[in-house]
Amino acid sequence: PLLSPSPPAFNLSQEGLVPSRRLGNVRGAAGPPSPPGRRARPPAPGAGRLSGAAREELRRRLLGLIEGHRVVIFSKTYCPHSTRVKELFSSLGVDCNILELDQVDEGASVQEALSEITSQRTVPSVFVNRVHVGGCDHTFQAHQSGLLQQLLQQDPAYDYDLIVIGGGSGGLSCAQEAAVLGRKVMVLDFVVPSPRGTAWGLGGTCVNVGCIPKKLMHQAALLGQALTDSRKFGWEYSQQVRHSWATMTEAIQSHIGSLSWSHRLALREKAVTYVNSYGEFVEHHKVKATNEKGQEALYTAAKFVIATGERPRYLGIPGDREYCVTSDDLFSLPYCPGETLVVGASYVALECAGFLAGLGLEVTVMVRSVLLRGFDQEMAEKVGASMQQLGVRFLRKFVPVEVQQLERGLPGRLKVVAKSTEGTETIEGIYNTVLLAIGRDSCTKKLGLEKIGVNVSEKTGKIPVNDEEQTSVPYVYAVGDVLEGKPQLTPVAVQAGKLLARRLFGGRSEKCDYVNVPTVVFTPLEYGCCGYSEEKAGEVYQAENLNVYHTLFWPLEWTVAGRDNNTCYAKIICNKLDNDRVIGFHVLGPNAGEITQGFAAAMKCGLTKQLLDDTIGIHPTCGEVFTTLEITKASGLDITQKGC
């Protein structure tokens, strides 16, 4: 064989240069390559005749390919001189990136562009570390003189081994791991203020405006419920209990500040350069960093990781940016939001609505379609029902069309005009605060990715990557919420970033496993899940091949407190065709996150219904209900609880 194993070939597409795993496996291949000594069929009429703009774009992509790889060989499968050059690099143990010009539709145009760049009209055309070595004869002469070895040993003079753009959980995880492995690393992080002017420090969404403050405010609301329950347990207090929003936010922001400082200290201890500037690619391997004063600096690196995350989406209606807040603003809001309209039915929307209601505020949730899209819909409706029991009002099938300010103030008064999604009905409501939680947009639009050819989904703004988090530009990687089709969760980004650094710089091969990732929705009654929803399991495995075990349950803590005995719910989805393996786990109840975490590990190990049955539960706990499940949905038997 010519090369064994075959080095990666490259597919020159309109979107950029995309790695192809097998030599010759490229778009536009006409079939098996012509044997040595025979010419391939001529290009179709008109091939190679590109417009000026198209020719310039092709030239840019070619330079990007040359810029981004150690060795690039432009070749033709039937050319014996190309074969000799490829065999030479194979004998040297050097990985080559090969573009077979007779196997791509625009091969003639590529060869013409190459001749303009190099003044060489034939193949092979060899580049080593961005230096044009030449054709077959020149390459062998360079090898005999030692020049080729010198070029192969040279590393381009980059400022850093790795620059991470984005200082959130995934970016910091990757940067610190790379530094531990001895690499020179920079982190560029800059928070563009929200329309309300809110900004924050190092640490990304999770630390500053996501998981951490959300869970703490959730806890504040649970303490309020515990106060109510405590009277039934004998606690007597006559003083009226009130909640102070200012005290809570001050304490939470103080904790967040300490976490942000800890991140900065960790970077310093690991000798990672942290620059509070906005990173933007200006050319291959080079970024421009702009700080809050508009001062610019240029940095280069051998590799880059995009970890810029997402920001809340706005409705695009009159008054939304002027008068509404998002999760970017809520957790540091300097005043109690008062009566609040939450627009959206995402987990962010329901979590925020839940803790605001738990703090004693009047809360309305406006829902365009379904609750918790993408989650198990039976569980989602049970979450909604549990929130309604706590006094949260739901406006279904409506969307806002205008927000007007009636009174200035902290919080002030707003009028919201909304329209039905199912007809012409229009309604109005008066609120102190309007919180938008309708989704998030990836922060990829102003990074200069188009200048270096990184593919970005036009529909979602997210970055497609392969199973090693590599983008369409081989030296650029991405982790976290900017990835196309991956779970948008902090622990996922942390794991992916750490493993990416180990593969790039530590000689490791482990990849991030995006299957069976557990998560929890921190509504007042928490919802934890891992694996398939019932709907998705039915699509993948067919409903007749599934056993769905379920039950309602009554936490012991709720009995004395007199809380409802048929609200909490447990469900597992099992694949009959695979020994009743558990492929979906769902629980609605107190501390669902803690319960789900343990069972997620068991699912990684291949948990089956029989293994659950063989497990002795811890009594009295909520988690033990999964060791005693007996009723399937198909049986139609009653699952309501009559006693403890």
Side-chain angles (χ1 to χ4, degrees):
L2 180 62
L3 289 177
S4 181
S6 297
F10 274 76
N11 170 17
L12 196 66
S13 70
Q14 291 299 327
E15 293 79 22
L17 294 150
V18 183
S20 179
R21 294 302 176 196
R22 293 190 306 165
L23 194 63
N25 181 21
V26 290
R27 187 182 307 170
S34 302
R38 286 182 55 192
R39 297 187 60 83
R41 62 184 181 183
R49 298 173 188 170
L50 299 178
S51 67
R55 188 163 56 250
E56 184 58 35
E57 170 64 13
L58 178 59
R59 179 186 175 91
R60 183 189 66 78
R61 286 187 281 135
L62 283 174
L63 291 173
L65 175 61
I66 295 164
E67 181 85 17
H69 299 88
R70 186 185 181 204
V71 177
V72 181
I73 301 174
F74 295 92
S75 167
K76 292 182 180 177
T77 56
Y78 58 80
C79 172
H81 305 295
S82 297
T83 300
R84 287 187 63 207
V85 166
K86 287 181 280 192
E87 289 174 341
L88 170 63
F89 281 100
S90 179
S91 69
L92 296 174
V94 175
D95 289 332
C96 303
N97 298 285
I98 301 166
L99 183 65
E100 302 288 6
L101 301 186
D102 59 322
Q103 298 291 293
V104 293
D105 290 336
E106 51 189 348
S109 298
V110 172
Q111 190 161 0
E112 182 179 338
L114 270 176
S115 69
E116 293 176 2
I117 295 170
T118 65
S119 299
Q120 176 187 326
R121 300 194 61 83
T122 58
V123 294
S125 188
V126 180
F127 291 82
V128 177
N129 277 331
R130 298 183 287 180
V131 174
H132 183 234
V133 178
C136 180
D137 291 344
H138 284 120
T139 301
F140 274 88
Q141 290 170 9
H143 174 54
Q144 292 166 2
S145 68
L147 175 61
L148 183 61
Q149 286 78 358
Q150 291 179 27
L151 288 173
L152 288 170
Q153 291 169 5
Q154 288 178 1
D155 279 328
Y158 296 123
D159 300 326
Y160 292 90
D161 297 310
L162 174 68
I163 290 180
V164 177
I165 303 178
S169 303
L172 293 177
S173 171
C174 184
Q176 293 182 64
E177 189 70 17
V180 167
L181 293 169
R183 299 299 172 147
K184 187 179 181 183
V185 182
M186 169 182 276
V187 171
L188 292 172
D189 185 62
F190 185 85
V191 177
V192 177
S194 74
R196 293 289 293 252
T198 309
W200 49 87
L202 188 64
T205 296
C206 175
V207 167
N208 295 280
V209 291
C211 319
I212 299 301
K214 176 268 302 291
K215 179 70 180 293
L216 291 173
M217 289 194 176
H218 170 63
Q219 175 64 14
L222 293 182
L223 290 173
Q225 180 65 55
L227 280 170
T228 302
D229 292 349
S230 70
R231 291 184 182 275
K232 294 288 184 71
F233 285 88
W235 288 94
E236 299 177 359
Y237 48 90
S238 56
Q239 184 179 358
Q240 183 180 3
V241 178
R242 296 186 306 165
H243 180 264
S244 169
W245 178 273
T247 299
M248 176 186 69
T249 53
E250 182 180 349
I252 290 174
Q253 289 303 310
S254 176
H255 177 64
I256 289 171
S258 70
L259 293 178
S260 184
W261 173 251
S262 296
H263 282 309
R264 295 189 67 168
L265 188 61
L267 293 180
R268 185 184 305 169
E269 289 174 346
K270 294 178 175 64
V272 175
T273 302
Y274 163 57
V275 178
N276 184 205
S277 294
Y278 189 94
E280 176 186 1
F281 284 97
V282 292
E283 61 182 70
H284 281 283
H285 291 280
K286 182 181 289 187
V287 290
K288 176 178 67 177
T290 307
N291 65 19
E292 61 182 350
K293 297 180 181 179
Q295 298 169 330
E296 299 178 355
L298 297 174
Y299 302 100
T300 61
K303 290 180 171 59
F304 291 82
V305 172
I306 308 299
T308 47
E310 297 182 313
R311 296 290 293 272
R313 183 179 304 145
Y314 284 79
L315 288 162
I317 63 172
D320 64 343
R321 290 180 175 269
E322 294 86 351
Y323 308 125
C324 300
V325 299
T326 69
S327 56
D328 279 358
D329 313 296
L330 179 64
F331 302 111
S332 59
L333 208 62
Y335 54 85
C336 179
E339 185 174 354
T340 302
L341 172 68
V342 178
V343 181
S346 63
Y347 72 89
V348 175
L350 298 191
E351 287 175 338
C352 292
F355 69 67
L356 290 174
L359 297 176
L361 303 181
E362 293 291 326
V363 179
T364 301
V365 179
M366 186 174 289
V367 182
R368 178 178 61 87
S369 54
V370 300
L371 303 180
L372 297 175
R373 183 178 300 280
F375 288 85
D376 186 286
Q377 282 303 292
E378 179 185 30
M379 301 303 296
E381 288 301 319
K382 288 182 179 295
V383 168
S386 71
M387 293 178 66
Q388 284 181 299
Q389 290 179 11
L390 296 177
V392 176
R393 178 184 177 222
F394 284 86
L395 284 174
R396 298 278 192 140
K397 307 295 184 180
F398 278 92
V399 292
V401 293
E402 184 179 7
V403 180
Q404 302 172 7
Q405 186 180 62
L406 300 181
E407 293 180 14
R408 297 174 63 88
L410 302 175
R413 294 176 72 236
L414 302 171
K415 181 171 81 169
V416 177
V417 181
K419 183 179 182 300
S420 170
T421 61
E422 297 181 326
T424 59
E425 182 184 1
T426 299
I427 60 173
E428 296 181 355
I430 308 298
Y431 308 94
N432 298 119
T433 298
V434 177
L435 171 67
L436 303 182
I438 58 172
R440 299 170 67 82
D441 292 323
S442 297
C443 300
T444 56
K445 289 185 178 179
K446 298 181 180 180
L447 299 179
L449 298 178
E450 71 284 352
K451 296 176 184 175
I452 59 170
V454 173
N455 288 348
V456 178
S457 168
E458 291 185 11
K459 181 178 179 181
T460 65
K462 293 182 178 293
I463 301 174
V465 296
N466 61 18
D467 62 354
E468 295 186 343
E469 287 79 44
Q470 187 179 45
T471 73
S472 56
V473 174
Y475 64 86
V476 179
Y477 299 79
V479 297
D481 290 358
V482 296
L483 296 188
E484 181 86 82
K486 298 292 190 292
Q488 296 171 231
L489 298 166
T490 294
V492 173
V494 170
Q495 178 85 329
K498 177 176 65 177
L499 295 180
L500 172 59
R502 290 177 180 175
R503 290 196 306 274
L504 292 178
F505 306 117
R508 303 280 289 274
S509 59
E510 295 92 338
K511 302 172 185 177
C512 185
D513 184 359
Y514 293 99
V515 178
N516 283 346
V517 175
T519 189
V520 64
V521 181
F522 286 103
T523 38
L525 193 57
E526 297 177 8
Y527 164 39
C529 60
C530 183
Y532 286 105
S533 67
E534 193 171 342
E535 295 86 357
K536 189 65 177 178
E539 291 177 17
V540 174
Y541 296 101
Q542 306 305 315
E544 62 270 20
N545 297 322
L546 302 176
N547 275 324
V548 180
Y549 296 86
H550 69 146
T551 188
L552 292 161
F553 64 95
W554 196 15
L556 182 65
E557 302 91 320
W558 285 27
T559 56
V560 173
R563 296 172 69 178
D564 186 71
N565 64 342
N566 283 297
T567 297
C568 298
Y569 181 70
K571 174 169 74 173
I572 60 170
I573 304 161
C574 301
N575 181 5
K576 294 180 186 177
L577 305 181
D578 188 12
N579 196 31
D580 252 357
R581 184 169 58 88
V582 179
I583 59 173
F585 176 95
H586 303 270
V587 58
L588 178 68
N591 304 304
E594 308 297 339
I595 297 169
T596 305
Q597 183 67 80
F599 284 102
M603 288 178 68
K604 284 287 187 187
C605 299
L607 179 67
T608 64
K609 179 62 169 63
Q610 187 61 53
L611 286 171
L612 280 174
D613 293 343
D614 293 344
T615 301
I616 297 175
I618 301 172
H619 185 71
T621 65
C622 293
E624 70 174 316
V625 70
F626 288 97
T627 68
T628 58
L629 288 172
E630 296 178 346
I631 299 176
T632 64
K633 280 193 172 183
S635 73
L637 296 176
D638 184 21
I639 61 170
T640 57
Q641 300 297 296
K642 310 295 192 300
C644 64

